Amino acid sequence: MKQLSIMVDMDRCIGCKTCVVACRNHHNLVNHRSHMPGEIPFYIKVESQAEGTFPHLKEDFWVSPCKHCKTAPCATACESGAIRKDAQTGIVLIDQDKCTGAKKCIEKCPYDVIQFNAEKNYAHKCNMCYDRVIHGQEPVCVEICLTDALSFGEKEILKMQAQAKGKEIIKKMSSQSIIYVKSAP
Amino acid sequence: MYEDGWIPTVCYQCKAECSILAHVQNGIVQEVKGNPRARGKMCVKGMAGITSLYSKERLTHPMKRVGERGEGKFEQISWDEAMEIMETKLRALHEKGEGHKFTYSMFPHSASDPKWRFVNAYGGFISTGLPHCDSGKIMAHLHTFGCFPNHHIAPIYYSVPKDGLMILSGRHPFGCMDDACVAKDILDAKERGAKLIVIDPIFRPEAAKADWWIPIKPGGDASFFLGVCNYLLLNNLYNKEFCDKWVREGDMEKLLDFIVDKTPEKMSSICEVPAADIIKLAKMVAEAPSACIDAFKSIMYGNAMDWGQVWSIFLVITGNLDNPGGQPMPELTPMAPVNPVPTPPDLKELGYHRTGPNREKFDHYNFILEPTWYAAQAIKEGNLKIFFATECNPALSEMGAAAWREAVSMKDDDGNYMLDFFMVSEILPSETMKWADLVLPDQTNYERWELLYMPWWYNYSHGAALCRPVVKPVGEARHTNNVIIELGKHMFPEFFAFKDDVEYYDIELGGVGMSIDKLMENGGMWSPGTAGFYKYKDKKKFDTPSGKIELDWNMYADINQQWPSPELPLEYRKDEEKFPFILVNFRTIFLNNTGAWSHNNAQLRDPVSGLDSNPIMINPVDANKLGISEGDTVFLESATGKVSSIVQLTEKIKPGCIGIIHGFGQTVGQVATLCSSFNDNELIADAGSHLDEQDLRGGEAHVSTRVTIYK
Ligand code: SF4
Ligand code: SF4
Ligand code: SF4
């Protein structure tokens, strides 16, 4: 299997949203002149969960881009064959030219990460910065993460790195290409 | 002049001014990121700076007021007319011999900021928020260590060793107000075995990452650390060798006399942290190879001078000065002076706080700048006549917002405004603009030059960083530095004999053998590459009058305040029944405090990439007692103000406290006004109207506030 992945270190993510804005800038998702809050597309989002009662509290932060699923429900749902899982990288890509704007993928994505450009009538989402990674660069979010919480590479190698650092893989959160890790409590 | 590519420059979405790279394509800034030659990071505000640069709300032309102040009605004018209006007003006041009644409110980008130079040449003063943000630590630097009165100086987190302690006391460094790399540096230190201890009444991401979170009563940090120091000193766990060698003779004995009754048990009753925890921390400090405390003022405002002094006592008795993992003592980069340098007027003699009927109250005011918190009072008393504001938003940032509005709109018997002239220069619409007579469109950091070399924030070793224009300015926007330099050339040509800002910085850079061209050719920065440790050992002294560390602040002996008070701020100790909650107003990474740019930046107000509301935070224990539920609209009332907003129930706040985010409440601009929000300074009292409660030693205005909450 060929699969490029992003590993999210939950010991480090602080939920600062820097990656959200950097990703938007790089992928030209924001019209700086006219976009208003609440209407700007995004490929990655921050989630968090707090537990406990004062003063015994815990909180985790993490990011959630497209998971580049193994058998991607979005690809299966798309009737015009616009979505494919790239054999070389394992990245799930939407071909804008083939996209008819049917929005079937959006209905079927379990992670709600697909954006829709109503003006130009196409679906779009995180492509793991395909344009960068095929030329040897990391995805933008990985490069600029404020706390170096993200790492990028082959899934099996990332898993080994996590193990070497004594971090556990959070199985219930991790998926095909996005791996969540944390130190054992 | 402009080129495409990744251009090294400097961010100015907040005052940390991180070194960055801007990706320019076809004359447009597309992307930005931290400069790997510097500390390599840029935060969410910085990333969103492109949105400020290209926002359709940018101010693009000079405007003059047409209605009354506060109405916010303007007409577009030419730059020539704007310059003439300013010069006429400034000359008239100067000719009356009242130059000291001119105040410029700004963040000086350096001690030689050209705007500051003009103010000095004119005989006026600058005022910044520093007196009520950093005064405690600035005064501690001056009084105890005799070092350059630094602005906020964070610990050098990349120098913290394994097992070193990083103590955050009411400070949220993940908000990146020092440098965008700070969060990474703290987490890296943790990974190599340093411990993170967070002392804070609210649970923020820093606390979520901490090895130990100590919820404390706001304003309790002075007592908490006095308890720690008491335990260290009385149990012989302090660094005796360091103190014997470096502390002024007699000061340790006086310190012991003062501290002997500040026992952990007694201090515990003030700060509401169990005595066992105070002792536990003291023991950890005694065993650790280093300890540092990152704090701003006292926890969420309050007794900053007391806190600053306790902070310095802690550092001294544990020997954590200028060592890896302790408190750095950075030095000023030796820039060349641009001669002749104008001499500033005497603040103690002519500052607006020293010319009014309250002047004797300020006899012990030692702070280095005019107290911005006294501006409203100075207008009322006729001591502030011309006010310039650049890159600041006093309508939101001044304590006692209502009193500030009243003062700037106040008229004399002849129907003239008491404040004769008010100029605001800004990038995006600001709240303050509504009261301005003249509004000038300023340039963003992507359109202008600036030379940064101050040792404050997290700048220990990059020495100098150059902010350079990477794209053409929007509309007719002009950098205010150049506007002021032009005024200087007209009014004080002897002090403005250089061609422009670039030549000015070029001369300064000669001090380190550099020039603008050399910096531009070499990645936009110059650095000796080291902050240096134990510099006092090389000098064999501290720069205090005695050459030693001075713990006893004897300049306040006649008012019996040479040692810090462990008590909570006065405001927290009164009206407890009427106003049962302590207000905790805190900062987040998504706002440059009250700065006008983050208010009208769509990405920073977007729910996915920013923050779109400032709810009123209350612990469910308190809410249940009051019958308040999540989402209720409530009133929050202090002795001097009242606001209304939506309630958020959260376990992340200490019962007895109400949490709100500082920096909301702007009513100008399409983005800012999308969400309903309020300004915390509506609740905080105006300083001039209750001087008796102020700590007037160093300039700290007490902004500590009690509130009541009801549906
Ligand atoms: S930039 Fe890094 S730390 Fe910040 S939210 Fe994104 S992944 Fe988390
Ligand atoms: S868009 Fe959704 S369904 Fe498709 S690969 Fe990504 S996460 Fe999976
Ligand atoms: S991998 Fe690239 S496209 Fe995907 S979230 Fe990160 S920056 Fe955005």
Side-chain angles (χ1 to χ4, degrees):
Chain A
M1 178 193 62
K2 286 184 174 174
Q3 183 64 60
L4 292 175
S5 296
I6 292 173
M7 182 163 77
V8 183
D9 185 346
M10 286 159 65
D11 293 332
R12 296 189 71 102
C13 178
I14 57 169
C16 68
K17 305 184 180 177
T18 303
C19 51
V20 180
V21 177
C23 168
R24 269 187 192 147
N25 290 348
H26 178 78
H27 292 280
N28 245 318
L29 299 183
V30 51
N31 183 331
H32 300 290
R33 218 186 132 64
S34 59
H35 262 139
M36 292 299 272
E39 56 180 46
I40 320 172
F42 54 92
Y43 290 170
I44 185 165
K45 63 189 171 206
V46 170
E47 291 168 349
S48 65
Q49 195 184 350
E51 271 171 37
T53 51
F54 180 90
H56 306 289
L57 299 173
K58 273 201 260 174
E59 189 169 25
D60 281 327
F61 305 90
W62 63 88
V63 282
S64 180
C66 163
K67 314 288 179 184
H68 303 278
C69 304
K70 199 167 183 182
T71 27
C74 58
T76 318
C78 177
E79 284 161 11
S80 40
I83 308 184
R84 70 184 167 95
K85 190 164 172 74
D86 181 53
Q88 298 293 325
T89 59
I91 299 174
V92 173
L93 297 165
I94 304 181
D95 184 338
Q96 263 166 41
D97 295 334
K98 286 195 190 158
C99 176
T100 56
K103 295 190 188 176
K104 290 268 167 25
C105 57
I106 296 177
E107 285 165 30
K108 286 284 148 52
C109 171
Y111 301 98
D112 196 21
V113 297
I114 305 179
Q115 308 288 299
F116 192 73
N117 185 325
E119 201 189 313
K120 297 190 180 142
N121 196 44
Y122 65 80
H124 57 127
K125 65 165 191 73
C126 161
N127 60 2
M128 213 182 265
C129 295
Y130 184 81
D131 53 334
R132 288 170 56 105
V133 302
I134 54 166
H135 297 303
Q137 280 182 293
E138 295 174 322
V140 166
C141 54
V142 176
E143 184 193 346
I144 61 70
C145 168
L146 196 71
T147 63
D148 290 351
L150 307 180
S151 34
F152 170 74
E154 286 189 54
K155 189 175 176 180
E156 294 309 316
I157 296 176
L158 290 176
K159 281 180 171 173
M160 271 160 32
Q161 287 169 352
Q163 204 182 19
K165 282 188 173 171
K167 310 231 176 196
E168 285 178 356
I169 294 172
I170 319 277
K171 289 230 174 68
K172 65 176 197 302
M173 292 176 72
S174 300
S175 48
Q176 179 63 2
S177 75
I178 310 294
I179 312 163
Y180 295 90
V181 299
K182 214 174 136 175
S183 293
Chain B
M1 173 175 171
Y2 306 104
E3 49 186 294
D4 280 4
W6 283 97
I7 315 291
T9 183
V10 166
C11 177
Y12 190 56
Q13 281 298 297
C14 88
K15 289 161 183 163
E17 307 196 282
C18 303
S19 287
I20 59 161
L21 300 176
H23 194 198
V24 181
Q25 279 177 307
N26 303 319
I28 305 269
V29 180
Q30 290 286 354
E31 277 182 270
V32 283
K33 64 180 179 188
N35 184 347
R37 289 206 202 181
R39 286 175 285 277
K41 291 294 173 191
M42 186 176 201
C43 80
V44 62
K45 286 185 295 294
M47 292 286 176
I50 311 176
T51 303
S52 294
L53 168 64
Y54 295 121
S55 162
K56 65 168 180 280
E57 298 193 65
R58 275 289 296 272
L59 300 171
T60 50
H61 296 87
M63 301 187 292
K64 74 175 179 196
R65 176 172 58 82
V66 286
E68 291 291 328
R69 281 195 193 151
E71 285 178 12
K73 289 190 192 144
F74 301 99
E75 71 179 25
Q76 192 176 315
I77 57 170
S78 68
W79 269 109
D80 285 347
E81 188 180 347
M83 296 304 289
E84 199 184 306
I85 292 172
M86 278 190 288
E87 194 175 328
T88 307
K89 287 289 184 187
L90 284 165
R91 278 193 191 276
L93 187 70
H94 200 254
E95 275 156 22
K96 276 203 279 179
E98 296 189 339
H100 60 280
K101 297 188 177 179
F102 165 54
T103 283
Y104 203 144
S105 196
M106 62 162 125
F107 171 72
H109 293 260
S110 74
S112 56
D113 187 308
K115 300 186 290 300
W116 200 347
R117 185 181 179 93
F118 177 85
V119 176
N120 286 341
Y122 187 87
F125 296 98
I126 70 161
S127 74
T128 82
L130 295 182
H132 53 76
C133 290
D134 311 84
S135 60
K137 285 177 71 185
I138 291 177
M139 297 316 286
H141 272 111
L142 270 177
H143 290 339
T144 310
F145 313 127
C147 69
F148 180 80
N150 279 315
H151 200 354
H152 180 76
I153 305 291
I156 309 182
Y157 290 109
Y158 57 77
S159 77
V160 178
K162 177 176 183 295
D163 298 322
L165 302 186
M166 302 179 285
I167 305 172
L168 311 181
S169 190
R171 174 95 181 143
H172 302 131
F174 290 179
C176 296
M177 298 301 278
D178 294 319
D179 190 285
C181 74
V182 168
K184 171 189 162 286
D185 281 1
I186 290 176
L187 293 167
D188 284 350
K190 250 198 98 183
E191 257 180 28
R192 55 176 183 268
K195 296 269 171 300
L196 180 63
I197 297 162
V198 171
I199 304 170
D200 203 333
I202 46 173
F203 184 91
R204 301 280 303 151
E206 290 83 357
K209 293 285 184 266
D211 295 285
W212 186 15
W213 173 44
I214 308 174
I216 191 172
K217 188 159 186 169
D221 41 1
S223 57
F224 178 88
F225 279 97
L226 280 173
V228 170
C229 292
N230 169 289
Y231 191 86
L232 290 170
L233 286 165
L234 271 56
N235 292 282
N236 234 344
L237 293 172
Y238 71 106
N239 190 334
K240 189 165 180 313
E241 199 191 327
F242 179 87
C243 295
D244 285 350
K245 189 154 184 201
W246 297 105
V247 176
R248 179 173 56 186
E249 217 183 303
D251 276 25
M252 286 306 289
E253 291 73 19
K254 287 187 211 158
L255 170 64
L256 268 173
D257 282 351
F258 157 75
I259 220 162
V260 70
D261 63 344
K262 311 293 181 296
T263 60
E265 293 71 27
K266 247 173 128 176
M267 297 300 100
S268 164
S269 66
I270 299 174
C271 65
E272 294 181 358
V273 176
D277 284 348
I278 298 178
I279 294 170
K280 179 178 157 188
L281 183 69
K283 287 181 175 165
M284 284 170 79
V285 168
E287 276 170 22
S290 71
C292 55
I293 306 176
D294 196 351
F296 205 36
K297 52 195 112 192
S298 178
I299 287 180
M300 304 309 144
Y301 306 156
N303 41 341
M305 281 287 279
D306 295 315
W307 160 242
Q309 198 176 3
V310 177
W311 171 79
S312 61
I313 292 170
F314 172 88
L315 294 172
V316 171
I317 67 166
T318 58
N320 277 299
L321 275 185
D322 221 23
N323 55 326
Q327 177 62 28
M329 308 191 79
E331 290 165 347
L332 200 56
T333 308
M335 291 298 168
V338 182
N339 289 318
V341 177
T343 313
D346 186 352
L347 183 70
K348 280 205 168 276
E349 197 49 44
L350 290 169
Y352 54 49
H353 56 300
R354 302 309 302 271
T355 46
N358 296 315
R359 65 171 302 155
E360 76 288 351
K361 289 223 188 322
F362 290 92
D363 279 348
H364 291 88
Y365 180 83
N366 270 315
F367 196 68
I368 47 171
L369 295 167
E370 198 153 57
T372 159
W373 45 265
Y374 198 63
Q377 192 66 18
I379 294 171
K380 291 179 193 166
E381 291 172 354
N383 298 317
L384 175 49
K385 286 295 179 190
I386 297 184
F387 191 62
F388 281 16
T390 289
E391 296 174 342
C392 68
N393 205 354
L396 292 184
S397 64
E398 279 310 300
M399 298 164 295
W404 185 89
R405 290 191 294 266
E406 186 198 318
V408 293
S409 326
M410 196 179 257
K411 290 185 173 173
D412 63 17
D413 296 342
D414 302 328
N416 299 317
Y417 284 114
M418 296 283 285
L419 175 68
D420 189 36
F421 181 63
F422 186 8
M423 183 282 277
V424 168
S425 71
E426 256 306 352
I427 290 159
L428 281 159
S430 80
E431 190 70 9
T432 306
M433 231 174 79
K434 291 203 300 201
W435 287 270
D437 302 317
L438 186 67
V439 177
L440 304 180
D442 207 346
Q443 292 178 354
T444 67
N445 55 301
Y446 295 111
E447 301 158 298
R448 74 192 196 199
W449 297 96
E450 200 97 64
L451 181 64
L452 294 322
Y453 65 87
M454 297 308 282
W456 50 48
W457 308 125
Y458 210 61
N459 176 15
Y460 313 109
S461 55
H462 75 188
L466 185 69
C467 176
R468 56 173 282 192
V470 297
V471 290
K472 278 199 205 107
V474 168
E476 289 181 21
R478 277 186 80 185
H479 187 202
T480 307
N481 280 9
N482 278 324
V483 173
I484 299 297
I485 289 172
E486 189 183 319
L487 271 178
K489 283 177 177 293
H490 283 201
M491 296 179 68
F492 311 103
E494 66 277 28
F495 297 122
F496 291 85
F498 44 88
K499 188 169 149 252
D500 52 15
D501 52 352
V502 175
E503 191 175 294
Y504 183 74
Y505 299 140
D506 217 37
I507 299 169
E508 292 196 287
L509 281 165
V512 291
M514 281 291 119
S515 65
I516 295 271
D517 283 347
K518 279 192 207 164
L519 276 194
M520 297 215 336
E521 285 160 18
N522 291 287
M525 39 179 290
W526 172 87
S527 167
T530 167
F533 294 113
Y534 308 109
K535 296 182 288 291
Y536 58 88
K537 288 189 187 171
D538 302 334
K539 286 203 278 187
K540 300 192 173 54
K541 67 177 186 77
F542 283 83
D543 289 330
T544 51
S546 68
K548 293 282 176 90
I549 290 169
E550 301 189 353
L551 296 173
D552 175 6
W553 290 4
N554 52 26
M555 60 292 281
Y556 306 115
D558 59 332
I559 46 169
N560 204 21
Q561 289 191 37
Q562 66 271 49
W563 295 101
S565 162
E567 294 300 335
L568 298 177
L570 192 61
E571 295 88 333
Y572 290 165
R573 287 179 272 144
K574 61 169 207 184
D575 291 342
E576 217 165 317
E577 263 152 45
K578 200 162 166 212
F579 302 106
F581 292 93
I582 288 182
L583 188 68
V584 175
N585 45 352
F586 60 97
R587 297 150 192 244
T588 84
I589 196 168
F590 305 108
L591 292 157
N592 168 29
N593 299 328
T594 53
W597 329 293
S598 38
H599 291 285
N600 276 306
N601 185 308
Q603 293 209 74
L604 297 176
R605 282 292 170 91
D606 176 75
V608 180
S609 55
L611 193 65
D612 62 352
S613 64
N614 66 331
I616 295 172
M617 293 163 60
I618 184 170
N619 189 289
V621 171
D622 290 328
N624 289 344
K625 281 187 213 151
L626 298 168
I628 290 173
S629 315
E630 174 82 16
D632 281 353
T633 298
V634 295
F635 292 102
L636 206 54
E637 196 174 329
S638 71
T640 53
K642 185 170 157 181
V643 298
S644 165
S645 192
I646 307 288
V647 150
Q648 183 185 64
L649 267 49
T650 174
E651 296 289 345
K652 295 187 208 167
I653 188 161
K654 186 174 158 64
C657 297
I658 298 282
I660 56 178
I661 298 166
H662 173 58
F664 271 94
Q666 169 134 326
T667 63
V668 182
Q670 291 174 29
V671 169
T673 47
L674 259 190
C675 76
S676 71
S677 71
F678 63 93
N679 171 14
D680 54 350
N681 278 316
E682 295 291 344
L683 296 166
I684 294 164
D686 163 55
S689 59
H690 65 297
L691 271 189
D692 290 335
E693 290 173 18
Q694 305 291 317
D695 179 341
L696 294 170
R697 291 177 297 164
E700 169 66 1
H702 278 191
V703 289
S704 326
T705 303
R706 279 194 161 276
V707 288
T708 179
I709 181 171
Y710 55 90
K711 276 208 264 191

